[in-house]
Amino acid sequence: RQQFSLPSIFIYGHTSSGKTYVMQTLLTTLQLPHVFVNCVEYFTSRLLLEEILIQLQSCSPGTEQTSPVHCDTLNDFVRLFKQAVASQELQDQTLYIVLDRAEQLREMEANILPAFLRLQELTDRNVTVVLLSEIVWELFRPNIGCFEPFTMYFPDYSIGHLQKILSQNHPPEYSADFYSAYINILLGVFYMVCRDLKELRHLAALNFAKYCEPVVRGEANERDTRKLWKNIEPHLKKAMQTVYLREIS
């Protein structure tokens, strides 16, 4: 914790590829002092800077009370940031500021992104800013140039990964093998048009009752994969035309 870390890290990848979850789990499990802010929720520079300072006030264990913070400029932020780090006794530890949905920073004032990228230098504190985004760094880089972050790519889940993750949600009244066979069918239909884990999880929950209909009516058992597939095939094809639209309910 006492070692200086990289000033800024840029993590990018497709939606639902585990970026946010991995960062939250890593920081929580290792109990590292951190601030986690979603840039969509705090969509102006003032809201964003104030939220970072508010969370920073409760970084140390046992500190829960937070006082209102007013921060109008970057100069104010740097000054208040130094005070907060000193009050939380974090001078000798790396503090991590994670900005989720960081592409929203491009909509803010031109000095915000460059300032975050070199916050370690501006504050003279051991701080690492982690930017999480769905777009590549080339679409971020300002025309005037700025400090280059360390970039890291989160690849999409493979079909095997999705099969394992989605199969964990099997209902207790059905066997794991039965639900796994259903997920195989679902991915066979949707994998080419949709690789969003959240969307696939939604589709799996939505269509499972239809898949089970022949078993519930007693017309087939759990091993009659062909009969079960024939029953659900037209329903899945109809659902595939409206992926992301939520028209099939």
Side-chain angles (χ1 to χ4, degrees):
R1 294 184 182 208
Q2 282 69 34
Q3 289 185 335
F4 268 88
S5 179
L6 293 159
S8 51
I9 301 171
F10 182 80
I11 298 175
Y12 67 103
H14 193 267
T15 180
S16 297
S17 54
K19 303 181 296 296
T20 303
Y21 180 74
V22 167
M23 280 306 302
Q24 285 176 330
T25 305
L26 189 65
L27 293 168
T28 307
T29 305
L30 298 176
Q31 297 181 330
L32 299 171
H34 67 277
V35 169
F36 215 104
V37 184
N38 187 314
C39 296
V40 172
E41 292 178 39
Y42 302 93
F43 52 90
T44 68
S45 57
R46 179 173 178 170
L47 287 172
L48 180 63
L49 297 175
E50 288 180 354
E51 177 60 19
I52 291 170
L53 293 168
I54 288 167
Q55 287 192 34
L56 188 53
Q57 288 180 5
S58 55
C59 260
S60 293
T63 315
E64 288 183 6
Q65 274 200 328
T66 55
S67 55
V69 175
H70 300 289
C71 177
D72 295 318
T73 66
L74 265 171
N75 284 341
D76 288 343
F77 176 73
V78 171
R79 176 175 54 81
L80 293 167
F81 183 87
K82 287 181 178 181
Q83 290 175 7
V85 168
S87 67
Q88 297 294 314
E89 298 180 351
L90 295 171
Q91 298 97 319
D92 299 325
Q93 296 186 53
T94 301
L95 171 69
Y96 294 90
I97 296 177
V98 184
L99 303 178
D100 199 6
R101 302 292 298 275
E103 55 270 13
Q104 296 298 317
L105 294 174
R106 300 181 305 161
E107 308 297 323
M108 298 181 192
E109 291 88 336
N111 62 342
I112 291 293
L113 177 59
F116 274 123
L117 292 172
R118 56 193 326 141
L119 191 62
Q120 192 178 95
E121 178 187 329
L122 290 172
T123 59
D124 194 28
R125 295 292 182 270
N126 199 355
V127 56
T128 293
V129 176
V130 182
L131 305 172
L132 304 181
S133 178
E134 295 174 11
I135 63 176
V136 296
W137 170 245
E138 284 69 28
L139 296 176
F140 267 82
R141 189 182 286 118
N143 295 332
I144 54 173
C146 65
F147 186 85
E148 293 285 315
F150 176 80
T151 57
M152 186 182 294
Y153 175 58
F154 268 48
D156 288 347
Y157 290 119
S158 68
I159 194 166
H161 290 146
L162 289 170
Q163 165 74 27
K164 280 184 179 178
I165 295 166
L166 293 169
S167 295
Q168 291 173 358
N169 297 334
H170 76 89
E173 60 269 26
Y174 293 98
S175 69
D177 288 344
F178 176 67
Y179 192 73
S180 184
Y182 163 67
I183 294 297
N184 261 334
I185 288 172
L186 189 87
L187 288 174
V189 173
F190 288 105
Y191 184 70
M192 294 309 291
V193 294
C194 172
R195 300 187 185 184
D196 185 326
L197 177 61
K198 291 175 188 169
E199 194 67 26
L200 287 168
R201 190 173 275 150
H202 170 74
L203 289 165
L206 205 62
N207 296 295
F208 186 59
K210 188 74 178 173
Y211 182 73
C212 296
E213 273 181 4
V215 178
V216 173
R217 292 197 298 258
E219 297 170 4
N221 61 43
E222 290 189 5
R223 293 181 178 276
D224 290 337
T225 318
R226 187 178 178 82
K227 197 172 281 186
L228 294 168
W229 161 246
K230 275 196 166 184
N231 178 64
I232 200 174
E233 182 187 15
H235 190 73
L236 289 182
K237 283 185 177 175
K238 188 180 177 187
M240 190 165 70
Q241 295 167 7
T242 55
V243 172
Y244 301 114
L245 298 181
R246 300 279 192 267
E247 288 179 13
I248 306 294
S249 64

